[in-house]
Amino acid sequence: MNQANSPALEGSYQQLFDQLAAELLPEQLMTSHAQTLAYGTDASFYRLIPKLVVKVNNLAQLQLVMASCAQLALPYTFRAAGTSLSGQAISDSVLILLSDDWRQHQILEDGDKISLQPGVIGADANRYLAPFQRKIGPDPASINACKIGGIAANNASGMCCGTAQNSYHTMASITVVFSDGTVLNTGDPHSVAAFKRSHQGLLEGLSELAQSTLQNKDLADKIRHKYRLKNTTGYSLNALVDFSDPFDILQHLMIGSEGTLAFIAELTYNTVVEHPHKASSLLVFADSDTACKAVQVLADQPVAAVELMDGRALASVADQPGMPNFIASLDMQACALLVETRSSQADELTTLCQQVMDSVVSFPRIGEVAFTTKSSETAALWAIRKGMFPAVGAVRETGTTVIIEDVAFPVERLANGVHELQALFTEHGYHEAIIFGHALAGNLHFVFTQGFEDPAEVARYGRFMDAVSQLVAVKYQGSLKAEHGTGRNMAPFIELEWGSEGVALMQQIKQLFDPQGLLNPGVILNQNSQAHLENLKPMPAANELVDKCIECGFCEPVCPSRSLSLSPRQRIVLYRELSELRRSGSNAKRLTQLEKDFKYQGVDTCAAVGLCADRCPVGINTGDLVRQLREQHYAKYKNIARWTADHFSSVASITRLGLGTAELGQKVLGSSAISSISKGITKVSAGKVPTWNPAYPTRAKYQPPQPRFHKDKVVYIPSCAARTMAPQADAIDPRPLVEVTCNVLEKAGFEVIIPDKGDDLCCGMPYHSKGMLDIATDKSQQLEDIIWQLSEHGRWPVLMDTSPCAKRSQEQFTQPLDIYEPIGFIHQHALDKLNIAKLEQPIMLHLTCSSRRMDMHDPLLDIANRCAQQAILPEHIYCCGWAGDKGFTTPELNQAALAPLKAQVPEGCTRGYSNSRTCEIGLSHHSGVAYQSILYLVDEVSL
């Protein structure tokens, strides 16, 4: 978005902007309404819109922002992934975002430790540790999206983590940036010594707090009791009774501090064992009493996880695919336990499973799935548990939000807690509410839907939360927040749980660390008793395609445009705002500006590839919304599009002619000259003509080879890209893809069947991406009819040499046809028939978004490892952002998506492989390595 379109800031915020603008890039400072609304949204049901959003790339920039805010007395909040649920990652002042540059890691002591910057996604940390059979202790449900900064700042735990393996207990050292800009690394003796000299008062204050707490026996005993359970309500007061060294106290207070004390710049974990052998079982009991009694027995057994699910929770997923048949027949009184056992040895695991089952033999069960080690079966069992939160979200009434609360009871009182929570649901009219949770820790999550548009509904929610807080904190002396953090949601209830002495202790801690009170005010400590009922997020109806969005942010890591413009979550946030502005007609000026901003940020820069749907708990494909919006925009071009569809062979000829002209110009004038000329044309055309670069394809000479007879046959459909685009001029292998593909199939013993008039054919993808669904459907149907005949009504498999074409055809075709893209076909039908001599050079790989959605990750790596000595699949790249023709029309999307690529190319690597010709253009351009189809690699190494 153009900064000129941003509203003027007032007073101190304008001063702050001016100070930062002198040091930071324009794109790091965001002030427009669209930007602050989009980036200010987190996964909670609260909304504050920041005045200024600052994206920082390194420690020096962070210190600059913190110092400037301190000078001007402006509050600020840190944000990593924004998956937090209790309102701790939002601000109405300054929001500091971490860019992708905060994701460095270092493996230490053969995997026994790992140092992580706060921008590392939790699942990535575990991926780095996998070769050592280790992992980090915390395992939150959001681990594929949440980042280390948030995991530590909220002391997030999870299903298997319990209390022993959370960040508090597995931290080795921490690097912290204080409000005055001082950096402390508790693992560095020199840093520790310097901090002793510069911050003696802070250290002495912590020591005095610890001593006074220990002298207050009642308070110390209360703290020990509270942390026998999972507890993230308030600050980690257990640091004051667990440690005497002020540095130990300091670093453990940082865990769970939710950005209110200092900034966590790096964390070193003591890792835990990742057992290679696991088994899962589902035990179903007639009621929660029996199930909870079984939990107490299981707590003494060798189990890694025991997940409790009440009858309503089981009913919410009963109709999902893969569920055990008996689930649908259970009544609402039923209660199930999902049990997991782990071991380093397979034979020991069998013994442990039997031991676990023997321990609960006295508890009658009304259904069960016996322990299984089969990955498909264990995945199906865990899908029951993981599907419950989205199940509620998917059926909620439009305009409501999904709330997931998080409490802990003493395990011995768990059954009573379940009963009384269910009674509160009924009393307050939350009849859809379900309960599930980590039973070994007494940790229960309950999920319900809530609307906030009606004041009566807000009041109902307030009464319910008052009742829950009395039940948990007072009657059962449990935790009001077990693992989701206090945030704004539970801040008004801290005194109810901790008493006045506990709150006074927290206030003293806050004063020691943040004397100006600028760090994330209103979070954890909040004097407003109604804070949990204010600044509630509206969820207006916008479009049935996205109305179920809960704004969790799980989609963001895989979105190619997230660092350029918006993520899927942010697109939906702005689209909801647009819809509400149009409906209310309340602010015409804001509507006009937002429509302008959303055209580029929301529509033009969306790749619309659907990776977000795979990560979304409720299966939303934001690309479907974008295509719908594009249909309106491209409607005026409908006649032209229809002509191209009807004359597709002519379009192919024109394309080849254009590529041939550029190829000739490159040969005659040289790459530099043709690039300069192209840039000039792009400028004159206002970006309508794309800029040529050396990675652009040359003209393909499309000549289908004569087939040779073989017993096995395959129908090969060359894509329009393969028919028109040959490799780039400096490619290692200049042959057209059609020739290479036929060569591979011939070696593998297949007779190749190719349609006679292939230039007329198209899967419909170019039209589908523009929202022209009727034209796309017509082209797809034309292609299907021809394939149906060529394959002898599905007798022979069908290979499409470009993965997006295969994916779309799989989704659109109605006849029983086996459609493959190159990876799947080679892996399943050809690889074992070829004699392969491995390449000695390293190779780069790219797994296209369509191939990811077809689950081709493991087959691609298997092919590559059988064909080359070293294969690199770079991290943090899920979609290249070329997105059909976006690489031509919106090249900045491709550039942003591939920003991490070049740094991951090893020295001496000259080869890259993928399975989409257009994707390979951008990959080659931004890596410096010529990418070609994986079929080129297979052909080269096979005899």
Side-chain angles (χ1 to χ4, degrees):
M1 296 175 190
N2 191 326
Q3 193 64 53
N5 294 328
S6 302
L9 295 170
E10 297 181 357
S12 298
Y13 290 102
Q14 186 63 50
Q15 287 182 260
L16 176 64
F17 180 89
D18 292 340
Q19 288 182 22
L20 298 179
E23 301 291 336
L24 304 180
L25 297 172
E27 57 264 29
Q28 291 181 265
L29 301 172
M30 292 169 269
T31 61
S32 74
H33 174 67
Q35 290 171 312
T36 55
L37 173 59
Y39 282 91
T41 298
D42 74 351
S44 73
F45 50 94
Y46 298 97
R47 169 157 295 156
L48 293 175
I49 301 177
K51 305 290 192 305
L52 173 64
V53 179
V54 187
K55 184 177 288 188
V56 295
N57 298 328
N58 52 52
L59 196 59
Q61 291 181 357
L62 175 79
Q63 289 172 299
L64 169 68
V65 178
M66 292 175 68
S68 299
C69 287
Q71 177 189 345
L72 297 167
L74 293 175
Y76 54 92
T77 297
F78 307 117
R79 164 80 70 80
T83 59
S84 48
L85 295 166
S86 301
Q88 56 267 69
I90 57 176
S91 171
D92 59 0
S93 181
V94 179
L95 185 66
I96 302 175
L97 298 180
L98 301 186
S99 74
D100 286 343
D101 292 336
W102 293 84
R103 53 191 184 194
Q104 299 300 308
H105 76 281
Q106 185 178 8
I107 304 289
L108 304 169
E109 299 177 17
D110 292 327
D112 287 348
K113 292 183 179 180
I114 185 170
S115 289
L116 300 162
Q117 286 191 324
V120 175
I121 292 175
D124 286 341
N126 285 340
R127 185 164 50 81
Y128 303 145
L129 290 165
F132 304 93
Q133 292 192 0
R134 309 287 293 184
K135 63 178 181 176
I136 61 172
D139 62 339
S142 58
I143 197 166
N144 288 323
C146 65
K147 297 178 179 178
I148 293 301
I151 290 174
N154 292 287
N155 199 18
S157 46
M159 288 181 277
C160 300
C161 172
T163 55
Q165 294 184 349
N166 61 20
S167 294
Y168 181 95
H169 288 290
T170 59
M171 173 177 53
S173 65
I174 195 169
T175 298
V176 177
V177 184
F178 292 87
S179 60
D180 63 1
T182 302
V183 179
L184 167 65
N185 177 357
T186 63
D188 179 359
H190 298 292
S191 180
V192 168
F195 195 81
K196 281 182 180 178
R197 294 190 296 270
S198 63
H199 288 71
Q200 185 177 357
L202 171 59
L203 296 172
E204 288 177 350
L206 292 176
S207 294
E208 290 170 4
L209 287 180
Q211 291 169 13
S212 63
T213 302
L214 289 172
Q215 290 167 4
N216 186 337
K217 186 177 183 303
D218 289 342
L219 180 57
D221 287 345
K222 184 171 189 174
I223 291 171
R224 292 188 183 97
H225 165 74
K226 287 289 186 182
Y227 289 100
R228 181 171 63 91
L229 309 174
K230 278 188 179 182
N231 194 331
T232 61
T233 310
Y235 292 123
S236 297
L237 296 183
N238 47 339
L240 300 173
V241 299
D242 291 344
F243 304 100
S244 57
D245 183 282
F247 283 96
D248 283 332
I249 296 171
L250 185 155
Q251 69 177 7
H252 285 87
L253 280 172
M254 287 303 303
I255 304 301
S257 60
E258 301 178 29
T260 64
L261 301 182
F263 175 78
I264 298 172
E266 188 171 61
L267 189 102
T268 299
Y269 280 105
N270 294 309
T271 63
V272 302
V273 174
E274 171 68 309
H275 293 100
H277 302 285
K278 304 174 185 179
S280 298
S281 172
L282 182 69
L283 310 177
V284 186
F285 305 89
D287 52 60
S288 56
D289 282 341
T290 308
C292 291
K293 289 175 183 176
V295 169
Q296 294 182 55
V297 172
L298 290 169
D300 295 325
Q301 297 301 316
V303 292
V306 177
E307 293 293 297
L308 180 145
M309 298 162 279
D310 75 352
R312 288 175 175 174
L314 293 168
S316 72
V317 295
D319 60 349
Q320 298 296 313
M323 295 297 117
N325 293 333
F326 66 83
I327 297 291
S329 63
L330 299 174
D331 61 29
M332 294 301 161
Q333 301 306 310
C335 191
L337 300 177
L338 177 58
V339 183
E340 180 166 291
T341 301
R342 301 174 175 179
S343 176
S344 297
Q345 304 295 328
D347 54 351
E348 181 186 46
L349 181 64
T350 302
T351 301
L352 295 178
C353 290
Q354 187 58 54
Q355 179 181 330
V356 170
M357 294 303 293
D358 289 344
S359 73
V360 294
V361 70
S362 61
F363 299 100
R365 296 183 289 277
I366 60 174
E368 71 175 59
V369 177
F371 270 113
T372 176
T373 58
K374 292 183 179 179
S375 58
S376 59
E377 295 176 356
T378 58
L381 289 179
W382 281 96
I384 300 175
R385 163 64 177 82
K386 293 176 181 178
M388 289 175 176
F389 177 44
V392 174
V395 299
R396 77 184 193 277
E397 184 179 338
T398 298
T400 65
T401 191
V402 181
I403 295 178
I404 176 167
E405 284 298 349
D406 164 46
V407 300
F409 294 96
V411 175
E412 62 273 14
R413 310 297 299 277
L414 188 60
N416 291 342
V418 171
H419 278 308
E420 296 196 42
L421 275 177
Q422 290 172 330
L424 288 180
F425 297 154
T426 300
E427 178 183 345
H428 293 274
Y430 293 104
H431 301 292
E432 79 291 354
I434 65 173
I435 294 176
F436 55 84
H438 319 313
L440 289 178
N443 179 193
L444 297 180
H445 299 311
F446 50 98
V447 181
F448 57 99
T449 63
Q450 175 71 53
F452 291 127
E453 296 298 318
D454 184 349
E457 279 293 288
V458 176
R460 176 172 73 120
Y461 173 70
R463 292 191 299 271
F464 175 64
M465 289 306 298
D466 288 342
V468 169
S469 300
Q470 285 290 331
L471 173 68
V472 176
V474 178
K475 183 172 183 178
Y476 288 109
Q477 290 295 297
S479 306
L480 288 173
K481 281 293 182 182
E483 58 180 4
H484 291 172
T486 307
R488 302 169 190 281
N489 186 24
M490 209 53 70
F493 300 97
I494 282 188
E495 187 165 355
L496 185 68
E497 177 164 336
W498 281 106
S500 59
E501 289 183 314
V503 171
L505 198 52
M506 293 181 195
Q507 290 170 336
Q508 290 175 280
I509 291 169
K510 174 72 170 175
Q511 180 63 29
L512 280 172
F513 281 85
D514 180 25
Q516 286 184 275
L518 299 181
L519 276 72
N520 214 4
V523 169
I524 296 184
L525 296 174
N526 195 320
Q527 297 299 315
N528 181 358
S529 64
Q530 299 298 300
H532 63 303
L533 302 179
E534 297 177 359
N535 301 305
L536 298 167
K537 181 190 292 183
M539 300 287 275
N543 188 300
E544 62 180 9
L545 291 173
V546 297
D547 281 342
K548 299 304 181 186
C549 175
I550 54 181
E551 299 182 4
C552 64
F554 286 12
C555 55
E556 293 189 337
V558 298
C559 178
S561 65
R562 60 187 172 77
S563 64
L564 171 67
S565 54
L566 300 174
S567 69
R569 165 168 64 177
Q570 294 163 344
R571 282 187 172 85
I572 293 172
V573 167
L574 290 195
Y575 189 71
R576 282 174 165 159
E577 178 80 350
L578 275 172
S579 300
E580 185 61 23
L581 287 172
R582 287 166 179 159
R583 185 164 37 245
S584 66
S586 58
N587 193 325
K589 183 178 179 181
R590 175 174 290 181
L591 173 61
T592 300
Q593 184 60 54
L594 190 55
E595 286 178 332
K596 180 181 178 181
D597 290 339
F598 191 73
K599 169 66 171 58
Y600 176 79
Q601 297 277 335
V603 179
D604 292 349
T605 56
C606 178
V609 295
L611 288 177
C612 49
D614 295 338
R615 293 292 186 97
C616 176
V618 291
I620 294 170
N621 185 339
T622 312
D624 290 340
L625 171 66
V626 169
R627 278 186 288 271
Q628 189 178 92
L629 299 176
R630 285 176 182 167
E631 183 178 15
Q632 301 166 13
H633 173 73
Y634 285 108
K636 56 187 175 183
Y637 304 112
K638 198 72 172 285
N639 290 336
I640 297 174
R642 175 61 69 181
W643 184 90
T644 64
D646 293 340
H647 302 83
F648 209 77
S649 60
S650 299
V651 174
S653 297
I654 293 169
T655 302
R656 282 192 285 267
L657 178 62
L659 292 172
T661 302
E663 181 182 357
L664 179 61
Q666 183 182 8
K667 290 178 180 178
V668 174
L669 301 175
S671 296
S672 297
I674 197 71
S675 180
S676 298
I677 294 170
S678 177
K679 287 178 182 177
I681 295 173
T682 300
K683 185 176 181 179
V684 170
S685 68
K688 292 182 172 61
V689 178
T691 301
W692 178 92
N693 68 65
Y696 267 34
T698 57
R699 177 175 60 93
K701 300 175 178 63
Y702 176 55
Q703 185 63 44
Q706 291 297 316
R708 299 181 185 178
F709 175 78
H710 288 281
K711 178 181 178 182
D712 293 326
K713 295 179 175 60
V714 59
V715 176
Y716 169 37
I717 306 296
S719 64
C720 51
R723 299 193 305 264
T724 57
M725 301 177 184
Q728 64 190 65
D730 62 349
I732 292 174
D733 190 335
R735 294 176 299 161
L737 178 55
V738 177
E739 179 183 339
V740 172
T741 303
C742 291
N743 206 38
V744 171
L745 296 174
E746 174 71 24
K747 288 179 183 178
F750 287 94
E751 179 180 336
V752 183
I753 305 170
I754 298 181
D756 292 334
K757 296 182 179 180
D759 257 358
D760 289 328
L761 302 179
C762 173
C763 69
M765 180 64 77
Y767 306 99
H768 181 255
S769 65
K770 301 295 186 297
M772 300 178 182
L773 303 185
D774 54 341
I775 300 177
T777 299
D778 290 345
K779 294 304 292 183
S780 177
Q781 184 62 59
Q782 178 191 19
L783 179 61
E784 181 181 7
D785 291 343
I786 288 175
I787 291 176
W788 183 241
Q789 297 302 319
L790 292 176
S791 67
E792 298 180 27
H793 295 186
R795 179 182 179 187
W796 305 116
V798 179
L799 170 63
M800 297 183 176
D801 57 34
T802 299
S803 61
C805 303
K807 181 71 170 67
R808 173 169 167 77
S809 297
Q810 288 176 357
E811 294 171 343
Q812 296 298 314
F813 286 0
T814 58
Q815 301 288 2
L817 292 162
D818 290 328
I819 308 294
Y820 294 88
E821 48 72 66
I823 296 170
F825 185 85
I826 294 299
H827 192 260
Q828 186 169 335
H829 292 289
L831 199 58
D832 291 336
K833 299 178 181 180
L834 300 171
N835 295 319
I836 292 174
K838 278 189 175 184
L839 272 181
E840 294 184 1
Q841 305 100 314
I843 62 171
M844 296 295 294
L845 300 174
H846 175 69
L847 185 63
T848 64
C849 42
S850 48
S851 292
R852 286 185 184 277
R853 302 198 72 195
M854 289 185 278
D855 202 20
M856 290 292 114
H857 177 275
D858 290 346
L860 173 62
L861 290 180
D862 189 31
I863 293 171
N865 290 328
R866 289 170 69 173
C867 294
Q869 295 290 347
Q870 181 186 8
I872 299 99
L873 183 62
E875 63 177 351
H876 307 132
I877 297 173
Y878 296 90
C879 169
C880 72
W882 194 272
D885 63 357
K886 284 294 177 187
F888 297 117
T889 62
T890 317
E892 64 270 28
L893 175 60
N894 182 237
Q895 181 179 0
L898 296 179
L901 177 58
K902 192 164 188 176
Q904 299 183 64
V905 179
E907 186 176 353
C909 180
T910 60
R911 300 164 184 261
Y913 297 100
S914 185
N915 60 344
S916 172
R917 183 64 193 93
T918 50
C919 296
E920 290 152 17
I921 301 171
L923 291 163
S924 301
H925 180 52
H926 292 292
S927 69
V929 174
Y931 276 73
Q932 296 184 276
S933 170
I934 190 72
L935 291 160
Y936 284 85
L937 172 65
V938 176
D939 190 37
E940 181 177 356
V941 300
S942 59
L943 305 177

